[in-house]
Amino acid sequence: MQVGNVHYRTEKDIPANVALFPLSGALLLPCGQMPLNIFEPRYLAMIDDVLSSNRIVAIIQPRFDLNGNVESGDHPALCAVGTLGRITSLSETGDGRYIISLVGICRFRLLEEAPMKKAYRQGRIAPFLNDLSADNGEDKVNREALLESFRAYLEANQLEADWESVGQASNSTLVNTMSMMAPYGPAEKQALLEAPDLKTRADTLIAITEIALARDNDDYDTVLQ
């Protein structure tokens, strides 16, 4: 796995302790790209610190209940699994903000949170080392079923896609990009994140999309009655 100028091949390449960036409804996957607008003082300090070390930020969702509601408060409990991202670009806006781009390295399991010694949260992690492998099982993805559900979703929401680019995308790029862009809630995003392999993530995305389409059709039928 290469992200920016750095190769991540073994556990030794991954830091054991990382800066935690809680973001509800956010999904970063390996090789995926996430733009972020950083403006809170604690996260500006976090970016300054990681830029001077390994450039790695851990994206993780605050814990939520069965209805997808996030715990209230300034220091909510966190989900067990998140994704490490490397800062590959940064620009200063002139009004105190950073615009950064993160590229996903691998998922991780949060083992424990460190005592608060800085303005932002930190934790000890265990990386998902399989994410660093080039063999991600993309040949097992049911591409036809994935595209069929994607097409149905676009039609139901009167949206269009660049089908030429979609046709040229690898299964891995297709599954992960669609998962990150899907307009679903925190619980669905976490399910996609925690899928054990690419095939399962694709199957999960198809199932979530079919449920959303069925729900929308039920709502539409209810309005007509």
Side-chain angles (χ1 to χ4, degrees):
M1 167 74 71
Q2 179 175 356
V3 178
N5 295 328
V6 178
H7 287 89
Y8 299 93
R9 298 188 177 93
T10 69
E11 190 171 6
K12 294 181 180 180
D13 300 323
I14 306 295
N17 297 282
V18 295
L20 301 173
F21 194 174
L23 283 175
S24 180
L27 176 60
L28 177 64
L29 292 168
C31 296
Q33 185 169 328
M34 174 182 285
L36 290 173
N37 178 16
I38 309 296
F39 55 88
E40 287 190 49
R42 56 181 168 172
Y43 296 128
L44 291 169
M46 177 188 72
I47 297 303
D48 286 338
D49 285 351
V50 302
L51 283 174
S52 64
S53 57
N54 52 35
R55 295 193 172 212
I56 291 178
V57 174
I59 300 296
I60 190 166
Q61 289 202 92
R63 192 177 300 167
F64 43 84
D65 60 24
L66 293 177
N67 295 319
N69 298 315
V70 176
E71 291 188 8
S72 59
D74 194 48
H75 201 280
L78 301 174
C79 289
V81 177
T83 305
L84 300 178
R86 177 179 172 83
I87 299 175
T88 56
S89 69
L90 178 146
S91 62
E92 298 181 78
T93 62
D95 59 0
R97 294 178 294 121
Y98 287 152
I99 305 297
I100 70 171
S101 179
L102 287 180
V103 175
I105 301 170
C106 68
R107 294 168 297 165
F108 67 87
R109 185 170 300 278
L110 181 60
L111 301 178
E112 63 178 355
E113 200 166 340
M116 288 287 289
K117 295 182 179 180
K118 295 181 178 288
Y120 55 90
R121 300 165 74 172
Q122 297 173 285
R124 185 169 66 88
I125 64 158
F128 286 29
L129 297 179
N130 286 343
D131 287 350
L132 304 180
S133 171
D135 181 15
N136 57 11
E138 65 177 340
D139 57 321
K140 299 178 182 178
V141 171
N142 188 338
R143 185 183 181 95
E144 183 177 347
L146 183 65
L147 290 178
E148 183 177 343
S149 68
F150 182 44
R151 186 178 290 104
Y153 181 86
L154 292 177
E155 291 177 355
N157 291 274
Q158 298 182 338
L159 300 172
E160 296 183 357
D162 181 354
W163 288 106
E164 182 177 354
S165 297
V166 170
Q168 294 174 354
S170 67
N171 284 350
S172 177
T173 298
L174 196 62
V175 172
N176 288 340
T177 300
M178 289 173 61
S179 296
M180 289 177 60
M181 294 178 62
Y184 301 131
E188 290 84 359
K189 292 286 189 178
Q190 195 67 23
L192 291 166
L193 173 66
E194 296 187 18
D197 51 50
L198 196 67
K199 179 185 182 302
T200 306
R201 181 172 300 133
D203 292 344
T204 302
L205 181 58
I206 292 169
I208 292 172
T209 302
E210 289 176 348
I211 291 170
L213 289 171
R215 183 177 60 243
D216 291 344
N217 287 336
D218 286 345
D219 291 343
Y220 181 68
D221 292 341
T222 300
V223 171
L224 289 180
Q225 291 174 2

